[in-house]
Amino acid sequence: MTEIEIKNAVKSFELLIKEQSDRSDEIKQQGGFIDYSKLDKIIVGVCGGDGIGPIITKEAARVLKYMLGDDTAAGRVEFRFIDGLTIENRAAANTAIPNDVLEEIKACHVILKGPTTTPQAGDPWPNIESANVAMRKALDLFANLRPVKVPSEGIDWTFFRENTEGAYAVGSKGINVTDDLAVDFVVTTTEGTRRIASLAYDYARRNSKGKVSIVTKANVIKTTDGKFLRICKEIGSEYPDIVTDEWYIDIMTAKLIDQKRRRDFKVFVLPNLYGDIITDEAAEFQGGVGTAGSANIGKRYAMFEAIHGSAPRMIREGRGKYADPCSMLRATVMLLSHIGRQKEAERLERALDICMFEEKKLVITGRSDGCECGEFGDYVMETVKSIL
Ligand code: IPM
Ligand code: MG
């Protein structure tokens, strides 16, 4: 390694540190959460995304428009369809979210977003940052809530995945120091951890969950995970009514398949990457990632999406029309609840439970032996209408 290579790496590192320090200061200056009940009008943006995104988002948007029909007619809610968030546009602008699209998004309060394609080295696309990750950062959506429920197994979990830090904070800004040496970075801030932990504990208290499990790998990733664990425990000590337990990610991954133990878990709080991985595992018990939605919550904005990607393989194999809209419909439940439309949220959740777990008149398999996405959308719509 040459002196110049070391100097260049240090320079890049210095920039990262400055950026992250500024971000940490900005978090400290933030006020409280937006109060939707005080707004004259809530603006709901809908982005279809890539791959199966537009197909499954269409069904969710249809149901959402129906459920907010009265609000829309009375001018209390406005829908805006934003179609610029495509991989083609992002590649042409060589950026994760083109500026004009980001402006449109920022003019909304909440976003219903279909999955977007995340390029990786070797793809036909430039290796730009994931649009999900960029949006979470640009709108400071620091909490990723991912519920997973399998009533017949007694599973009722809510994951609070930290959404702007950890391995993702500068995930697209690692340093290739030389051809032989690459370095990535993990970031944990005090305020960034306090706010996700507080949200998880508040949720546990409000919903009488009784227990919060903190998941890290603090025995090995001592500095950043160690800090995350310590701060979560500090916040936990302010909630004496809630039991806190702590786990390492490897054993937690195993415990989720332990049928005797897993029903004891309720609320999880964990750094970004572990949250990413374990929520795919958790969703598998519920019927796969196609059934799981996620809420990305910040103080000013919120974005609701599927937990999965844009499934380019399904599109390549001509199976797009068999995609499962349930992930986006579950995200829609969370959107309704988030903007204070709790009755509508419960009605849609009930309809989804009937269609997915109880009545199951139509079944989605992702292939031609199952029903089509649009047919399932019709089924959910009919069921919603039958519940008053
Ligand atoms: C998720 C997805 C994203 C993530 C990808 C698409 C960048 O896997 O929302 O879990 O890693 O966060
Ligand atoms: Mg994921």
Side-chain angles (χ1 to χ4, degrees):
M1 187 154 42
T2 63
E3 277 301 309
I4 197 90
E5 283 166 334
I6 297 177
K7 275 220 174 81
N8 286 341
V10 170
K11 184 81 208 142
S12 306
F13 185 54
E14 191 182 332
L15 288 175
L16 292 185
I17 300 274
K18 284 198 175 125
E19 243 175 59
Q20 291 304 308
S21 163
D22 290 348
R23 192 178 61 77
S24 163
D25 290 345
E26 274 164 32
I27 302 177
K28 283 188 203 148
Q29 268 134 43
Q30 268 175 353
F33 281 95
I34 187 170
D35 181 351
Y36 295 99
S37 68
K38 298 232 164 72
L39 298 177
D40 291 336
K41 182 158 76 179
I42 302 172
I43 303 177
V44 181
V46 179
C47 304
D50 306 307
I52 62 168
I55 303 170
I56 59 177
T57 306
K58 185 174 159 208
E59 299 311 314
R62 176 156 73 111
V63 174
L64 184 61
K65 275 169 79 180
Y66 169 75
M67 310 225 64
L68 294 177
D70 288 348
D71 276 321
T72 314
R76 290 187 297 267
V77 166
E78 179 189 327
F79 279 89
R80 292 196 187 161
F81 293 85
I82 300 170
D83 34 55
L85 194 70
T86 60
I87 184 68
E88 291 79 9
N89 279 350
R90 302 197 316 269
N94 199 27
T95 176
I97 307 179
N99 281 340
D100 52 334
V101 179
L102 187 60
E103 286 317 306
E104 282 183 79
I105 290 172
K106 283 188 163 173
C108 302
H109 297 101
V110 292
I111 305 286
L112 180 69
K113 175 190 149 299
T116 45
T117 295
T118 300
Q120 64 169 34
D123 281 358
W125 311 110
N127 196 7
I128 45 181
E129 186 180 34
S130 139
N132 306 37
V133 174
M135 199 185 295
R136 291 168 188 163
K137 288 184 198 164
L139 307 184
D140 198 22
L141 308 173
F142 64 88
N144 193 325
L145 265 76
R146 299 186 159 187
V148 166
K149 158 172 101 169
V150 187
S152 60
E153 300 254 344
I155 292 176
D156 186 1
W157 298 328
T158 311
F159 294 87
F160 283 77
R161 164 186 178 188
E162 199 294 317
N163 214 23
T164 48
E165 306 198 339
Y168 281 61
V170 285
S172 57
K173 294 186 180 164
I175 303 173
N176 282 303
V177 182
T178 66
D179 281 348
D180 294 329
L181 176 64
V183 183
D184 267 315
F185 302 98
V186 180
V187 179
T188 299
T189 68
T190 302
E191 282 311 312
T193 310
R194 289 182 67 86
R195 62 184 184 175
I196 183 76
S198 301
L199 213 62
Y201 277 95
D202 276 349
Y203 172 89
R205 177 175 279 169
R206 261 188 293 116
N207 295 281
S208 309
K209 296 289 184 185
K211 182 150 103 170
V212 173
S213 304
I214 308 167
V215 185
T216 67
K217 187 74 187 176
N219 51 342
V220 176
I221 315 296
K222 293 188 189 291
T223 311
T224 45
D225 276 12
K227 183 178 180 71
F228 189 91
L229 175 59
R230 179 172 52 76
I231 292 174
C232 286
K233 278 165 55 177
E234 269 168 34
I235 299 285
S237 69
E238 295 165 17
Y239 295 76
D241 49 321
I242 294 169
V243 176
T244 294
D245 60 6
E246 50 183 282
W247 295 81
Y248 296 132
I249 181 67
D250 48 352
I251 188 62
M252 177 54 88
T253 309
K255 283 297 149 201
L256 287 195
I257 56 172
D258 179 340
Q259 288 181 338
K260 286 196 293 288
R261 297 294 302 279
R262 66 184 179 190
R263 61 183 62 196
D264 299 338
F265 297 123
K266 305 284 179 224
V267 175
F268 302 78
V269 60
L270 66 186
N272 212 336
L273 181 59
Y274 310 139
D276 174 49
I277 295 168
I278 212 167
T279 52
D280 270 19
E281 184 196 10
E284 199 64 25
F285 303 124
Q286 177 184 272
V289 291
T291 64
S294 111
N296 297 263
I297 310 285
K299 298 266 169 91
R300 162 67 176 80
Y301 296 100
M303 181 265 280
F304 300 82
E305 61 178 350
I307 77 161
H308 56 79
S310 61
R313 188 182 317 167
M314 284 190 82
I315 298 293
R316 267 199 311 277
E317 294 173 1
R319 294 187 287 115
K321 64 178 179 194
Y322 300 113
D324 192 343
C326 290
S327 53
M328 291 301 295
L329 287 161
R330 291 280 175 196
T332 304
V333 171
M334 287 191 268
L335 188 158
L336 285 166
S337 168
H338 186 73
I339 60 170
R341 301 305 189 265
Q342 194 53 30
K343 248 182 46 210
E344 285 80 2
E346 280 163 21
R347 193 168 155 212
L348 178 56
E349 185 167 35
R350 182 75 202 109
L352 289 173
D353 286 349
I354 292 173
C355 297
M356 290 166 70
F357 304 129
E358 296 167 25
E359 194 181 72
K360 296 202 254 189
K361 269 207 282 199
L362 293 180
V363 176
I364 292 259
T365 63
R367 298 179 181 274
S368 55
D369 57 353
C371 76
E372 291 184 9
C373 182
E375 290 169 339
F376 201 87
D378 290 342
Y379 178 30
V380 171
M381 197 72 150
E382 268 163 41
T383 312
V384 164
K385 287 182 179 165
S386 73
I387 307 171
L388 287 172

